Amino acid sequence: MRCPFCANDDSQVKDSRPTEDATATRRRRQCSSCGARFTTFERVQLREIVIVKAGDDGQEERREPFDRDKLERSVSLACRKRGVTQDRIDRLVSGIQRQVETAGDAEVPSAKIGEMVMEGLKQIDSVAYIRFASVYRDFSEARDFEEFASTVQEAAQD
């Protein structure tokens, strides 16, 4: 594993343990060159998944590899300053990744993943849910927020 401090390719594992949700292995490493310590996470990847993104304004669909880190950044951004723990975000992202990998499809529409994120955020935090929806559904006016927020509030009262 390459050291993030000096870029040396040789490091030694000092400690390994599973994460709380047992979806990854956390490893503490020490660089043999500069002595710096850093943490890596090892996750099981069942298969290569390709995300299919709809083309904009008549353009062709785009395909790109599934990127767990990109998904986690999106969820974290929606949950920013909302008191949602990193552990809760990791569990949501791991659950979505597991669903995508076990579905059996090599290609997954980005819209399907967006809906899965929205469903997960709906259970965690209504503000994070609305934030994510505003980007995902491309809200363009304040009225869009108002209408969506009112549906969220109505659903919470039921």
Side-chain angles (χ1 to χ4, degrees):
M1 178 63 60
R2 177 170 286 145
C3 173
F5 302 101
C6 72
N8 182 36
D9 285 334
D10 189 30
S11 64
Q12 183 177 24
V13 175
K14 294 294 185 183
D15 179 47
S16 290
R17 67 181 75 165
T19 56
E20 277 188 34
D21 61 358
T23 61
T25 301
R26 177 185 181 273
R27 300 193 192 284
R28 285 294 293 157
R29 296 177 176 269
Q30 184 169 6
C31 177
S32 59
S33 177
C34 71
R37 289 186 176 227
F38 56 98
T39 303
T40 60
F41 291 89
E42 180 180 304
R43 288 186 168 77
V44 173
Q45 183 174 341
L46 297 176
R47 67 180 66 186
E48 290 291 323
I49 302 294
V50 175
I51 304 302
V52 180
K53 295 187 172 193
D56 297 327
D57 298 328
Q59 294 178 352
E60 287 186 31
E61 294 177 333
R62 293 178 295 134
R63 287 170 168 67
E64 60 184 58
F66 175 79
D67 184 350
R68 184 186 195 286
D69 293 333
K70 185 175 180 181
L71 178 60
E72 186 175 343
R73 281 191 305 274
S74 296
V75 173
S76 293
L77 187 59
C79 294
R80 192 168 147 227
K81 296 184 179 181
R82 292 299 308 154
V84 178
T85 66
Q86 185 61 44
D87 181 57
R88 186 67 184 105
I89 293 169
D90 287 341
R91 283 189 306 216
L92 173 61
V93 171
S94 293
I96 292 169
Q97 182 179 9
R98 220 173 297 119
Q99 287 178 45
V100 168
E101 288 178 341
T102 58
D105 300 324
E107 292 188 348
V108 178
S110 61
K112 183 175 181 181
I113 292 178
E115 292 298 327
M116 294 166 88
V117 170
M118 285 183 57
E119 190 58 39
L121 287 175
K122 188 180 198 179
Q123 306 302 318
I124 295 173
D125 185 89
S126 60
V127 173
Y129 172 58
I130 293 170
R131 283 179 179 168
F132 186 85
S134 72
V135 174
Y136 175 67
R137 295 211 172 138
D138 196 23
F139 292 176
S140 58
E141 297 179 15
R143 184 172 4 110
D144 297 336
F145 281 96
E146 290 173 15
E147 291 171 3
F148 190 77
S150 67
T151 62
V152 172
Q153 192 172 14
E154 289 168 9
Q157 292 174 354
D158 290 342

